[in-house]
Amino acid sequence: MDSATQTLELEEVSERVDEFFRKYYQEELLRIARIYPDEKRLIVNFKDLEIFDFALSEHLLSFPDETLSASERVIRSLDLPFEGTTPEIHVAFINLPVDSQLLVRDIRSDHVGRLIAVSGVVRKTADIRPKLVVGNYECQRCGHTMKIPQHDIRIKEPYLCEACETRGPFKLLSTDSKLSNFQKVLIQERLEDLRGREHPKQLTIFLEDDLTGQVMPGDKLELVGVLRTSQDFKTKSRVFNIHLESIYVQPVEVEFEEINISKEDEEKILKLAKDPKIYDLIRDSIAPHIYGFHEIKTAVMYQLFSAPRIEMLDGGKIRGDSHILILGEPATGKSEILQYVANELAPKGVFTSGKGATGAGLTATAVKDDFGDGGWSLEAGALVLADRGIACIDEFDKMTNDDRSAMHEAMEQQTVSVAKAGMLAQFSARTAILAAANPKYGRFDQYRSISEQINLSSTIISRFDLLFTVRDVIDDTKMIAKHILDSVLTPSKVAPPISPGFLRLMVAYARQHCFPVLTVEARNELETYYVARREASRDAAIPLTARQLWAVIRLSRASARVRLSDEATVEDARNAIRLLDASLQDVGIDLESGAVDIDKIMTGVTKTQRDKIQIMIGFIRELEKEYKTAKKTEILKMAEEKDIDKRDVDRLLEVLKKNGEIYEPMFDQFKIA
């Protein structure tokens, strides 16, 4: 500490602060006075104070309580045009020096009592409660009242009555005491500030008066305040808890990634983007130790770069993030790809497993816990915390239906709404989802449709832009073995063409600087593709819906971003179409007709199956009119005439019973419900 700082007395601090305000902030104080109490906090640039009086600025950092109290006393003494009661103007200092701007993980005991700045994302917010600032106590013996200022966490009561000099008892007159709004907020480190697999650290924030009620879970904040300690009075532990008593809170809207990209790195990025093999280089840099997965890695590449969000003139918003679902057999490398994307590539990546994630843990919820002092707190989940990033969810099929249904809004509208215990809130969740799931019975059956073999509802499947299946194919055994052994014995053979760190820089740069729009030619290409596919199967299977059109639009713009282009060309549109077709061919084949039927994915029932179901209902209705009930033997005879297999009859009857369209009053006899 500077020697000049140690010699500043309280009176000298007040004099210097008074001179500083009159010289630098007289007009700002007059402005606040005119609109008070709508605004009651003077924002002071620390650099102004440093230029005016370096010793005073150092004194502020080391002894913030003394300096802030002197500042507020000085403001009260100024001749400002206030109406009514004495003003309560608070002072907040911003733009602190670099050594006072800390990450939560870097806070130490040396910082207790000092003025510091931190940043983070809100994890929880408690209810706003009244806090005692000055207690008005009445002596129950003589009726004398005394005002006792409150500074500590625990309430301070009078020791002796000033009038009768007895030790009470005393009664707190809460209606005559001075109260202030108080709110607790829990922040955690931003995902983009973490290095590798670090766990985000958390810090409790105390907000008072005009700072309360400004933030919601998921908000990113810049805060300035005094670091305090508190003791657990139950255990009387020597280890103290810490919290930040904030004097300044500023919600900030950050870009996708706040990595500082040097001029040298920028030149490398621009040069690499012009490489004609840029798509192959980036694709091969995604989890290179995993053999194959070319289409999936290409899809992940587009997901990383993403497309800009579309905001309509009528207020509607269309997401630019693509969602990908990988359906794969065990030991095929799905989890490895998800881990690699979350930990190495995505600047804001979150990895979670379906077994360990609830709907509340993924989205947001209202919880009753000690943080809210017994009240309700709003808590943000993984998708809210990964806003503008990627959430990788493994074992997606192991989540319960209730937990998955909580994701519907987050996946399409990219918001999360909470309505619980009288608390209504909506958070942003502009997050791309990369999910992996296993078949119901471990392996895929090539003679059954994909929708029958996965434990996922059609409503959640339809929200994914791309779906891929991964099978453990024997034909690839030799190549997989060679690839694995090469990665162990000769790691350089599977080294990524672009390092993970530099690829993160490329993604961040592209998402900050490139906002591609479709060219007329690209638009025509996508329109021709969509219309042609729809018209070709007017009366047969449904090949595409509007959701697939939006998917190829997103992928086309993401393809342009890979090249750092502001225009999505015909070639970008064709890249998107090829990838969507690969996805549809992978999971969208109607095994009975051979046509691509999107309903197989969207509803779990293909056009062919729907037609057969209608035929079955016709059989039952016809037999019911003639014989009161439809015997299964008669249904089988009629089905045989229509070339419907006996196994299909059994399966379709079960589907109709399950859906409640028919019932079975007697064994193997059916009626329309």
Side-chain angles (χ1 to χ4, degrees):
M1 188 187 303
D2 193 282
S3 59
T5 305
Q6 298 176 349
T7 60
L8 288 181
E9 300 293 335
L10 182 58
E11 185 176 343
E12 189 177 4
V13 170
S14 298
E15 290 175 358
R16 295 189 185 191
V17 167
D18 181 78
E19 185 182 351
F20 171 69
F21 284 155
R22 292 180 186 278
K23 183 176 181 179
Y24 284 85
Y25 287 91
Q26 185 75 23
E27 290 185 8
E28 182 64 15
L29 283 167
L30 288 170
R31 185 189 67 81
I32 294 175
R34 286 192 291 270
I35 61 176
Y36 184 87
D38 294 336
E39 188 173 336
K40 52 198 315 186
R41 192 164 296 264
L42 175 67
I43 308 299
V44 178
N45 191 332
F46 181 85
K47 293 179 180 178
D48 291 340
L49 183 64
E50 200 171 35
I51 293 170
F52 172 77
D53 190 327
F54 181 78
L56 182 60
S57 68
E58 288 294 301
H59 191 87
L60 168 65
L61 296 175
S62 301
F63 307 104
D65 292 332
E66 187 178 298
T67 312
L68 291 170
S69 297
S71 300
E72 294 183 7
R73 283 198 306 272
V74 165
I75 291 175
R76 284 195 294 271
S77 67
L78 295 175
D79 185 19
L80 296 172
F82 288 103
E83 296 181 2
T85 58
T86 305
E88 288 287 339
I89 294 183
H90 310 291
V91 181
F93 290 87
I94 62 172
N95 294 331
L96 300 189
V98 174
D99 57 356
S100 294
Q101 298 178 22
L102 306 174
L103 295 175
V104 175
R105 67 181 56 247
D106 294 332
I107 292 176
R108 298 291 183 267
S109 58
D110 296 345
H111 301 117
V112 173
R114 291 182 62 88
L115 190 69
I116 63 171
V118 295
S119 61
V121 59
V122 179
R123 184 66 190 268
K124 290 184 184 180
T125 59
D127 291 338
I128 300 173
R129 299 289 179 83
K131 176 184 175 182
L132 188 64
V133 178
V134 178
N136 193 18
Y137 289 90
E138 180 183 63
C139 177
Q140 297 298 284
R141 292 183 184 274
C142 67
H144 179 70
T145 58
M146 294 169 287
K147 291 187 176 181
I148 307 296
Q150 305 291 320
H151 300 293
D152 299 327
I153 293 178
R154 302 185 76 176
I155 287 181
K156 180 182 179 182
E157 297 183 344
Y159 183 71
L160 290 175
C161 176
E162 296 171 344
C164 64
E165 296 186 348
T166 62
R167 296 189 62 179
F170 301 99
K171 179 183 178 182
L172 176 64
L173 304 176
S174 57
T175 55
D176 296 326
S177 299
K178 182 180 178 182
L179 302 173
S180 175
N181 290 328
F182 174 81
Q183 185 179 26
K184 282 175 70 175
V185 170
L186 183 70
I187 68 166
Q188 75 173 35
E189 292 177 301
R190 298 179 303 182
L191 298 176
E192 54 265 35
D193 291 335
L194 302 182
R195 300 177 289 274
R197 299 169 185 258
E198 291 177 333
H199 181 72
K201 305 301 181 184
Q202 299 180 337
L203 179 66
T204 300
I205 310 295
F206 286 2
L207 305 177
E208 287 194 39
D209 201 10
D210 58 315
L211 298 181
T212 59
Q214 293 187 16
V215 299
M216 295 287 286
D219 286 351
K220 296 171 181 62
L221 305 179
E222 292 177 355
L223 304 110
V224 176
V226 183
L227 191 67
R228 308 284 192 195
T229 59
S230 60
Q231 187 181 22
D232 188 337
F233 294 102
K234 293 180 181 178
T235 61
K236 295 185 179 180
S237 170
R238 292 168 54 203
V239 180
F240 287 61
N241 298 319
I242 60 170
H243 64 269
L244 187 76
E245 197 171 279
S246 183
I247 63 170
Y248 173 75
V249 176
Q250 179 63 48
V252 291
E253 184 67 27
V254 297
E255 290 296 326
F256 172 78
E257 175 56 27
E258 291 189 331
I259 295 176
N260 291 322
I261 300 174
S262 66
K263 196 70 177 175
E264 183 181 353
D265 285 333
E266 184 178 0
E267 290 174 359
K268 289 181 181 177
I269 291 169
L270 294 172
K271 181 180 179 181
L272 186 59
K274 295 177 182 177
D275 193 315
K277 295 183 179 180
I278 183 63
Y279 293 100
D280 294 340
L281 291 173
I282 294 177
R283 181 199 65 200
D284 295 341
S285 299
I286 298 172
H289 62 289
I290 302 295
Y291 175 77
F293 286 86
H294 283 176
E295 283 83 9
I296 293 175
K297 290 180 180 181
T298 301
V300 169
M301 171 178 69
Y302 293 151
Q303 186 181 50
L304 283 168
F305 283 85
S306 185
R309 198 181 196 196
I310 300 174
E311 299 195 3
M312 304 293 189
L313 295 177
D314 62 358
K317 296 179 176 63
I318 306 297
R319 63 179 168 92
D321 297 298
S322 298
H323 303 316
I324 302 171
L325 176 60
I326 305 172
L327 307 167
E329 296 176 347
T332 49
K334 307 183 304 298
S335 300
E336 280 293 318
I337 286 194
L338 267 62
Q339 290 271 14
Y340 195 89
V341 171
N343 297 324
E344 304 295 339
L345 299 181
K348 288 183 66 178
V350 173
F351 179 88
T352 184
S353 174
K355 284 184 177 180
T358 63
L362 283 172
T363 53
T365 188
V367 294
K368 196 168 187 178
D369 58 12
D370 293 338
F371 182 76
D373 297 324
W376 291 90
S377 304
L378 287 173
E379 182 172 1
L383 298 184
V384 176
L385 296 175
D387 184 38
R388 295 179 181 264
I390 295 180
C392 300
I393 308 172
D394 201 7
E395 305 286 347
F396 193 65
D397 54 309
K398 304 300 189 297
M399 295 171 64
T400 66
N401 287 331
D402 289 343
D403 293 340
R404 281 196 295 264
S405 64
M407 298 177 59
H408 288 176
E409 178 192 355
M411 292 183 71
E412 202 59 46
Q413 281 72 44
Q414 296 200 301
T415 57
V416 171
S417 300
V418 172
K420 186 176 181 182
M423 304 176 77
L424 302 174
Q426 189 176 74
F427 315 114
S428 293
R430 293 158 293 186
T431 308
I433 293 175
L434 176 61
N438 295 315
K440 278 183 185 178
Y441 310 109
R443 301 284 178 185
F444 284 115
D445 183 347
Q446 62 177 325
Y447 301 108
R448 300 175 66 188
S449 67
I450 295 295
S451 58
E452 296 178 68
Q453 301 184 63
I454 54 176
N455 187 31
L456 294 172
S457 66
S458 57
T459 52
I460 197 79
I461 292 176
S462 66
R463 283 167 167 78
F464 285 96
D465 297 82
L466 298 169
L467 293 89
F468 297 96
T469 61
V470 182
R471 293 174 170 83
D472 189 1
V473 182
I474 295 177
D475 294 345
D476 293 337
T477 300
K478 184 175 180 180
M479 293 302 299
I480 292 173
K482 182 178 183 302
H483 193 82
I484 291 173
L485 291 169
D486 282 346
S487 66
V488 174
L489 301 175
T490 318
S492 59
K493 285 189 176 182
V494 293
I498 304 172
S499 69
F502 191 73
L503 185 51
R504 282 165 64 99
L505 288 179
M506 284 194 69
V507 172
Y509 184 87
R511 295 186 70 157
Q512 287 179 11
H513 295 90
C514 297
F515 303 93
V517 295
L518 292 172
T519 61
V520 175
E521 293 78 12
R523 177 194 179 282
N524 293 338
E525 183 79 13
L526 296 180
E527 183 179 353
T528 302
Y529 166 75
Y530 180 69
V531 172
R533 291 292 293 270
R534 292 281 295 186
E535 291 291 335
S537 303
R538 183 181 292 274
D539 299 319
I542 299 172
L544 292 179
T545 67
R547 273 187 169 160
Q548 281 66 56
L549 179 57
W550 278 115
V552 290
I553 291 171
R554 281 189 280 269
L555 294 170
S556 300
R557 300 174 78 203
S559 174
R561 249 186 181 170
V562 175
R563 297 180 289 104
L564 302 184
S565 172
D566 286 326
E567 285 190 346
T569 64
V570 172
E571 192 55 43
D572 293 314
R574 289 171 182 166
N575 288 342
I577 290 169
R578 279 194 293 269
L579 191 60
L580 180 65
D581 279 346
S583 171
L584 293 177
Q585 292 288 345
D586 209 8
V587 297
I589 289 290
D590 181 345
L591 297 173
E592 298 174 48
S593 69
V596 175
D597 187 352
I598 202 65
D599 274 5
K600 179 181 170 186
I601 305 167
M602 298 297 178
T603 67
V605 180
T606 64
K607 174 71 164 55
T608 306
Q609 288 173 325
R610 282 200 310 275
D611 291 343
K612 287 184 178 180
I613 285 172
Q614 293 303 316
I615 293 171
M616 292 295 295
I617 291 173
F619 290 165
I620 295 169
R621 187 173 283 118
E622 185 179 333
L623 291 168
E624 191 179 347
K625 285 180 182 178
E626 187 172 351
Y627 303 111
K628 303 297 183 183
T629 61
K631 292 183 180 180
K632 187 174 180 180
T633 53
E634 296 296 326
I635 295 173
L636 288 170
K637 287 180 183 178
M638 298 176 76
E640 188 177 354
E641 293 175 4
K642 295 285 187 179
D643 293 328
I644 300 177
D645 190 82
K646 179 182 181 299
R647 287 177 300 179
D648 285 340
V649 172
D650 293 335
R651 180 165 50 83
L652 293 172
L653 287 173
E654 285 300 318
V655 169
L656 288 169
K657 282 198 297 182
K658 185 178 178 181
N659 293 341
E661 295 183 61
I662 64 172
Y663 65 99
E664 192 174 8
M666 289 180 284
F667 180 71
D668 274 356
Q669 295 188 36
F670 304 94
K671 295 187 74 172
I672 300 293

